[in-house]
Amino acid sequence: MHLATSANIKKMEETVQDNAEECVNSFSDEQDEEIGLEESSDDSDDSTEAMFLDDLDPLWDRLSDPSDDDWYPEVTPRKKKRSGLSSVSPSPAKSCRSGSPASVQRGKGKARKSSTRRSLPFSKSMSEEKWRSADEPDIEPTQPLFLPKNTPGPQLISTATCSPLEYFELFFTKSVLKTIVEHTNAYGAMRQEGKKKPWQDITIKDLRSFIALVIYMGVLKCFTLPDYWKTSDLYSLPYPARIMSGKKFRRISEALHISDPKVDAENDKKRGTPEYDRLCKIKPLYEDIRDACRASFHPFQNISIDERMVASKARNGLKQYMKNKPTRWGYKLFVLADSLCGYTWDFFIYEGKAKSEERKGISYDSVVILANERLLGSGYKLFVDNFYTSPKLFRDLLRKKIWACGTVRANRIGHSKTKAARGNIRWFREDDLLFVEWKDKRDVLMCSTFHKAFNGDSIKRNVKGADGVWALQDFPVPPAVLDYNKHMGGVDLSDALIGYYTVLHKTKKWYRSFFYHFVDIAVVNAFILHQQMAKMKNQKPLTQKAFRETLVRQLAETGPAYASEIVRPTPSTESHLPKYLNGDSTFGRRKCKMCPFKTPVICATCKVHLCFVPKRNCMVKWHE
């Protein structure tokens, strides 16, 4: 009896195992057939587009539950599965693009395993047959006719002479400052309600002085905020105290509010519903800055789109983690910048995975939102990295008369792992799309709608010879690679200009981080406008440091840069000697024209009050 039972059990186990193998084989055959059908179509359905654009497993997409999207925003797919690729856009002040914009590395372990699960838009056999060598001629595509909506460059009168303050006020207008002052006073009064000391309303002048100090702190860094008002010999920074006291600065920074507190309270009641606005607390300034950026400048023909991170570790659903960026934790922005000067023309804040079922992926949607042909015009050349590049996106942009060029992930075009000599080029065309592979130190894969496969260009590389001696050697290079390296760095240039003197610092409120970043955008864009206007007039522009220093003086209404605009010393042959108003040295004290202190001394010729003491020799500075 015991032996019979064991035999039966063994037989049952073999039957179950055979049935399981048949189920697995049938499931894999069905899955292969389904993926093959999806790959053979250019205009695939939404699941294929999401798989192609966002690099997601289609089976995982069908099993995922989007119910918690509002509270757990999606981490960008490019960053989650980038281990097998090295085409990462550099970040603020550390960007340095090499001759190989998109490199393909041989993945190991989990990275290699995950790459085999991703579907290809072209089957491997088909793509291998389509590849052509650089010796085979390629037809040059029709080049774009550049018809911008407005004249590229600053949208200002070419003969106008503007000060740094006037450039800055294009973005922080008086109406914007007035709105912030009203909401700050309302929020400050609400915070101080029921306390011994009531809130003292601030004015537009106070807010301008506050912004001046914020920019000043970006130029002159101190470890902590109180260090700016210390009077010890180690610090002794008199300028912040001349603008406002440390207590007042702290009081404004703690009450700074962009939106109406009443609107915030109404919005908080909608939390957890589709009507809840996650950006409500920054909406007024957010929309004004975007409109001002688009209105003050129009991009030249070459533009680029990339991500930007605003550093923050606050507990907020908007915060993202990007492991391959220098700033790993923070808020993610998608930015369109001019490739020539780095001007931030438009941007939007990533709020997490959208709930709409009709969306085509954040990589597709972000480009469509930013590259608006109705605002830009036609004939633009857009450069993107491999997170955005897809045949559907490039074809849709081409219908809008916007040409595009970008790097491609190796698994998307049937990349061959066969070794080839350095400088080897091969390519194929799919309608208006050119796919080109170039062998550099690593493999470089590009897609373009306006480039020719090869036109005879070469690039120098330092190569170690057989004798062990390093020497420069010329290698053929596709024109798409050269243009990508030249024009993709628009956002990186903007990030670098911001990173040199960033005003961003730690704050307890997430919306204040955006306020400081909007100040950064306004200052850098104002500086770029100053550069472009000086270039048009064949004048030498200020450096960014000098531009910021002048802007601080003008915002705070201090220093020679501001005083000289109000009252200039009258040219005269008479001597400019100091003179007391009366015999008594304390009689007739008035505010000095160069500093906020009072003085009984005037210039005998200019008739203006000027300090004439060892620590404040404004008499000499005024006449310089």
Side-chain angles (χ1 to χ4, degrees):
M1 184 70 180
H2 178 72
L3 293 175
T5 303
S6 301
N8 291 336
I9 292 174
K10 184 175 182 180
K11 186 174 181 180
M12 291 172 63
E13 289 177 349
E14 292 176 353
T15 303
V16 170
Q17 185 175 3
D18 293 338
N19 292 337
E21 290 178 355
E22 291 176 3
C23 291
V24 170
N25 292 334
S26 63
F27 175 76
S28 62
D29 292 340
E30 292 176 2
Q31 190 178 27
D32 292 342
E33 183 179 357
E34 181 183 353
I35 294 175
L37 290 172
E38 291 175 349
E39 291 169 357
S40 62
S41 175
D42 289 337
D43 297 325
S44 58
D45 56 10
D46 291 344
S47 62
T48 308
E49 292 166 4
M51 170 181 61
F52 183 76
L53 296 173
D54 290 342
D55 205 15
L56 297 175
D57 190 344
L59 184 59
W60 175 255
D61 284 344
R62 290 192 292 267
L63 296 176
S64 61
D65 182 10
S67 59
D68 293 333
D69 289 344
D70 190 44
W71 300 107
Y72 299 96
E74 173 195 32
V75 177
T76 309
R78 179 176 71 149
K79 304 307 176 187
K80 290 195 292 186
K81 295 186 179 181
R82 188 185 279 282
S83 54
L85 303 163
S86 62
S87 169
V88 183
S89 303
S91 273
K94 296 183 180 180
S95 62
C96 181
R97 295 188 180 274
S98 63
S100 303
S103 306
V104 180
Q105 297 177 352
R106 301 278 171 84
K108 296 182 179 179
K110 293 182 179 179
R112 195 171 194 177
K113 184 177 179 181
S114 63
S115 64
T116 60
R117 294 170 55 196
R118 302 168 184 165
S119 303
L120 308 180
F122 313 103
S123 65
K124 187 173 181 180
S125 60
M126 288 178 61
S127 60
E128 285 293 338
E129 294 174 359
K130 290 184 178 182
W131 287 110
R132 299 182 181 181
S133 66
D135 297 333
E136 299 180 60
D138 180 27
I139 300 174
E140 185 171 0
T142 304
Q143 292 303 301
L145 178 62
F146 188 41
L147 297 173
K149 196 73 173 179
N150 300 312
T151 304
Q155 301 301 293
L156 305 171
I157 301 174
S158 58
T159 57
T161 302
C162 300
S163 65
L165 178 59
E166 290 171 326
Y167 286 122
F168 181 77
E169 286 180 340
L170 293 173
F171 306 93
F172 276 78
T173 61
K174 292 181 180 179
S175 62
V176 170
L177 295 177
K178 182 180 179 181
T179 301
I180 297 175
V181 167
E182 291 176 354
H183 295 162
T184 299
N185 286 331
Y187 183 72
M190 186 177 67
R191 289 178 72 249
Q192 293 296 112
E193 188 176 357
K195 296 183 180 181
K196 293 182 179 179
K197 293 184 178 180
W199 169 259
Q200 296 179 358
D201 286 351
I202 64 172
T203 63
I204 292 180
K205 183 178 179 180
D206 292 331
L207 182 59
R208 286 159 62 101
S209 298
F210 174 80
I211 296 175
L213 272 179
V214 166
I215 300 173
Y216 172 81
M217 292 172 183
V219 176
L220 189 63
K221 304 286 186 180
C222 283
F223 188 72
T224 61
L225 192 62
D227 292 343
Y228 289 99
W229 284 272
K230 285 183 178 179
T231 57
S232 63
D233 295 337
L234 288 175
Y235 294 91
S236 187
L237 299 173
Y239 191 74
R242 287 171 54 187
I243 299 178
M244 69 172 58
S245 65
K247 289 183 179 180
K248 186 174 182 178
F249 180 88
R250 193 179 298 108
R251 184 166 60 88
I252 295 176
S253 63
E254 290 175 354
L256 184 67
H257 213 73
I258 300 172
S259 60
D260 189 347
K262 295 180 181 178
V263 176
D264 295 342
E266 292 295 325
N267 184 62
D268 289 339
K269 295 177 182 178
K270 303 175 184 177
R271 188 182 294 272
T273 66
E275 291 78 20
Y276 177 69
D277 187 0
R278 306 180 73 176
L279 302 179
C280 177
K281 291 188 177 181
I282 63 170
K283 220 43 171 302
L285 183 57
Y286 176 40
E287 294 176 348
D288 287 338
I289 289 292
R290 287 187 66 183
D291 292 340
C293 288
R294 292 191 294 259
S296 303
F297 183 89
H298 200 79
F300 295 95
Q301 187 173 18
N302 297 302
I303 55 178
S304 62
I305 292 178
D306 205 351
E307 304 103 78
R308 173 186 293 164
M309 293 293 287
V310 179
S312 176
K313 289 190 177 180
R315 296 194 175 189
N316 185 277
L318 293 171
K319 184 181 63 177
Q320 301 289 313
Y321 174 74
M322 301 179 70
K323 66 177 182 179
N324 290 320
K325 289 282 188 180
T327 303
R328 297 186 179 185
W329 291 98
Y331 308 113
K332 182 164 69 173
L333 280 68
F334 290 94
V335 181
L336 186 150
D338 182 86
S339 298
L340 180 64
C341 59
Y343 183 92
T344 299
W345 188 74
D346 196 9
F347 64 93
F348 73 91
I349 299 168
Y350 178 59
E351 300 182 51
K353 189 175 181 179
K355 292 185 177 181
S356 174
E357 297 179 357
E358 298 180 357
R359 75 183 190 94
K360 300 179 181 179
I362 186 60
S363 57
Y364 181 98
D365 295 341
S366 58
V367 174
V368 172
I369 292 171
L370 295 174
N372 190 336
E373 75 281 2
R374 288 173 294 180
L375 299 177
L376 285 170
S378 62
Y380 276 89
K381 296 180 180 179
L382 173 66
F383 294 85
V384 294
D385 63 18
N386 61 22
F387 174 60
Y388 306 92
T389 304
S390 72
K392 178 169 179 57
L393 173 63
F394 278 23
R395 289 189 177 106
D396 290 348
L397 289 174
L398 201 56
R399 294 189 192 101
K400 299 177 180 180
K401 296 184 179 181
I402 295 178
W403 280 251
C405 174
T407 53
V408 187
R409 297 180 182 178
N411 62 307
R412 291 181 172 176
I413 59 173
H415 171 62
S416 176
K417 295 183 179 180
T418 56
K419 292 185 178 180
R422 191 169 188 176
N424 182 67
I425 299 173
R426 64 174 194 160
W427 59 276
F428 70 88
R429 281 195 174 275
E430 284 284 340
D431 300 329
D432 297 319
L433 301 182
L434 167 69
F435 293 90
V436 60
E437 176 190 86
W438 179 51
K439 297 284 184 178
D440 195 27
K441 189 175 182 180
R442 296 188 180 96
D443 296 343
V444 179
L445 302 167
M446 304 289 298
C447 178
S448 176
T449 57
F450 61 93
H451 282 106
K452 190 178 177 181
F454 182 64
N455 56 9
D457 293 326
S458 62
I459 192 170
K460 293 186 180 295
R461 288 287 186 264
N462 201 14
V463 181
K464 188 176 182 180
D467 55 354
V469 179
W470 291 87
L472 290 175
Q473 186 176 342
D474 289 333
F475 293 97
V477 60
V481 174
L482 294 177
D483 284 348
Y484 180 89
N485 287 335
K486 184 177 180 181
H487 301 298
M488 180 56 199
V491 179
D492 298 329
L493 175 58
S494 177
D495 291 346
L497 292 172
I498 290 174
Y500 292 143
Y501 306 103
T502 180
V503 306
L504 182 67
H505 57 267
K506 291 183 180 179
T507 177
K508 294 181 180 179
K509 301 295 184 181
W510 66 270
Y511 51 86
R512 289 173 196 154
S513 296
F514 281 109
F515 171 80
Y516 296 129
H517 184 65
F518 293 157
V519 172
D520 271 329
I521 291 176
V523 174
V524 170
N525 277 0
F527 170 65
I528 293 173
L529 290 176
H530 163 73
Q531 279 187 320
Q532 294 295 313
M533 292 293 287
K535 184 178 179 181
M536 291 168 58
K537 299 176 183 179
N538 295 322
Q539 297 175 353
K540 184 178 180 181
L542 296 172
T543 63
Q544 187 184 181
K545 183 171 180 289
F547 181 88
R548 286 177 179 260
E549 290 170 349
T550 306
L551 177 60
V552 168
R553 294 191 187 101
Q554 292 176 344
L555 278 170
E557 300 182 3
T558 61
Y562 178 78
S564 60
E565 290 179 2
I566 301 176
V567 181
R568 300 178 185 275
T570 306
S572 175
T573 56
E574 301 178 15
S575 59
H576 296 270
L577 297 176
K579 175 185 176 182
Y580 284 98
L581 288 175
N582 202 319
D584 188 355
S585 61
T586 60
F587 177 80
R589 289 163 57 85
R590 296 291 185 271
K591 186 178 178 181
C592 176
K593 286 294 181 181
M594 292 289 291
C595 69
F597 296 97
K598 292 185 178 181
T599 175
V601 180
I602 64 170
C603 174
T605 303
C606 301
K607 304 298 182 183
V608 294
H609 288 76
L610 296 166
C611 294
F612 191 60
V613 292
K615 291 184 178 180
R616 300 190 309 277
N617 196 347
C618 299
M619 181 71 66
V620 176
K621 292 181 180 179
W622 171 263
H623 294 99
E624 285 178 349

